[in-house]
Amino acid sequence: MEELEAVWPGRAYPLGATYDGTGTNFAIFSEVAEKVELCLYDERSREQRVVLPEVDAFVWHGYLPGIEPGQRYGYRVHGPHNPSRGQRCNPNKLLVDPYARAVDGEIIWNEALYGYRFNAPNQRNNTNSAKYTAFSVVANPYFDWGDDRHPRTPYHETVIYEAHVKGLTATHPEIPRSIRGTYAGLGHPVMIDHLRSLGVTAVELMPVHQFVHDHTLEQKGLRNYWGYNSLAFFAPHNGYASRGTDGQQVQEFRAMVKSLHRAGIEVILDVVYNHTAEGNHLGPTLAYRGLDNAAYYRLGEDARYYYDTTGTGNTLLMRSPHVLQMIMDSLRYWITEMHVDGFRFDLAATLARQFHEVDRLSAFFDLCQQDPIVSQAKLIAEPWDLGEGGYQVGNFPPLWTEWNGEYRDKVRDFWRGEPHNVAEFASRLTGSSDLYQSDGRRPWASINFVTAHDGFTLHDLVSYNDKHNDANGENGNDGESHNRSWNCGAEGETADPAVLALRARQQRNFIATLFLSQGVPMLLHGDELGRTQRGNNNAYCQDNEISWVNWGVIDTDLLAFTRSVAQLRSEHPVFRRRRFFSGRDQGDTIGDIAWFTPDAAYMTDQDWSAGFAKSLAVFLNGSAITELGARGDRVVDDSFYLLFNAHHGELDFTMPSETYGEAWEALLDTAEPDVGGRKPYRAGEQVPMLDRSMMVLRRC
């Protein structure tokens, strides 16, 4: 390598490697370090070490003139190694910069990566790990954003599409082979056209922070497909780049965001700030452990071990100001420099654990609330973790929305005919006011979903009673065993026309319920196409055809139905209200909502509590919407009557009295998607409904 010019003192902020046009400033935090070496690598991976000359407030820093984007680097930290006190410094381990904007290469599993000898766990391992670890990369901060801006779609108008960058486009025949499964593939016009046809306003991308493929999975010939194993919280995963990994992945990600924004589609990232890829006390030393183990991780009473509420071996220390700073810096970076629009926080309850209990007033929530940049993004919680008291649906602060696990469970139970579920189903259909109204939140605090990456696809939800995870190599012990699924009469693939017809109807029931519920609908990628994982409900390690969307096999009828329901929601504000229903009549004026039994009688307390009840109807009054439009105008819509028959037999529903409408036209019937040509139904007339079906009628 060429000789470096003199190392200048540089600056302690910003952390990471910051290129300014003439050189690069390097800054990294370690309170425990006694010396920090910056290691630079050329194209042949030859190393040159530079001692960072300055340290301010535990941030080691230096400026190197002439160092440009594409430069690969890492750190070696000299300091105490005493695991019993939580100290694990080892300068023989090359460390990834936690603030790296790009990462080149991936982990090659070898004993050299570990801080101990496999055959002597108490003996320090002094083998150099540089040949086996990934390199941090100096990234180009400049990009021509042009007139790009955040779409800022209001929550009540938002439709989320949960997607995997690779799996969504890996087999798409109309996308060039060279960019399938990449950021560029996701930003391709063909993919954008598909998203827009579904009314999608936001893609929620499964983890794109640089992540690690677990050693145990690679030993089985598998990969960490989902990506919930983060290594660097500022770097877009290099495995999804089509044009190189020496920083090109940063520009490709930005180009994808720019293309999606041009189509009015927001980008939400599924982020994993609760743990890292270093695992438990027997895990590798890749970054944080070697930098300052006790400052980054929650340690047990015996500091050799880690406190774990994530099921991954470690948990980040959320009461550490340096961890909080790193997370907030990361969030701001993705908003300001990468132009993303929001975040879904994996195992978000862990972020609220300052000490032991989940605390909605934790420092992390305080920081988000007051931050002028982060507070304006969409913040979505997965409101649970694996620790004690970790299920916190409905308990996050008002700024936040939540994946509503109660919605998923109760809607699944309703359509498979479980008893004691009508009242719960009605609550979920109308925005879950029991969870979100008391603290001032609105219906859109509920991110509604029937399926997500974790669990069955929609096709499999109606095709399997049991999980079939043999391909994961865990003897079927992984994945949820209680899926609230129903195979409709046959397990897995079948040629029985009656079973297939029922499955198709059930899929339409779920899609229609999802899009016509109050709150924010989230559709799992490929559900609109009939995607199957062959009964695998935990495909986290299946980076192959099991998980990828198969664009060669598409349920065109289901796709057309999904598009029609999405359009119905988009055209009618009564299905996406900003306030909860009041349900009150005002004098001679009927209220904004009314519930009926199948014979058109008002639902009574006895009806709501009847365990055998599996059917009901609801009137939505488009003339009684209380919230104003964006310009202060009154919002008026058509009125609708929704019929739900989750019973195992046919039922006749009676239309309500003329007070609610003299005539009604059918817009949607999950038993017979083509409703064209039907005569309007009159007040008091009976409407025959097939078992397990749903109808939507509009007042003429």
Side-chain angles (χ1 to χ4, degrees), residues 447-511:
I447 307 298
N448 299 329
F449 67 105
V450 175
T451 57
H453 68 271
D454 187 1
F456 282 140
T457 66
L458 184 62
H459 172 280
D460 292 356
L461 184 68
V462 301
S463 303
Y464 295 90
N465 285 349
D466 303 305
K467 61 186 179 183
H468 297 265
N469 298 353
D470 293 343
N472 295 355
E474 298 183 42
N475 298 316
N477 293 319
D478 64 302
E480 176 60 57
S481 296
H482 182 49
N483 295 282
R484 291 181 162 88
S485 61
W486 178 46
N487 64 20
C488 297
E491 186 72 0
E493 297 304 312
T494 181
D496 187 322
V499 172
L500 293 175
L502 179 54
R503 288 179 179 178
R505 194 157 68 248
Q506 286 286 68
Q507 289 181 81
R508 292 191 290 267
N509 288 334
F510 283 123
I511 291 290

Side-chain angles (χ1 to χ4, degrees), residues 577-580 582 586 592 624-628 635:
R577 292 186 48 154
R578 291 184 287 114
R579 295 182 181 174
F580 290 105
S582 67
Q586 299 175 0
D592 55 5
I625 299 174
T626 55
E627 57 262 34
L628 298 177
V635 179

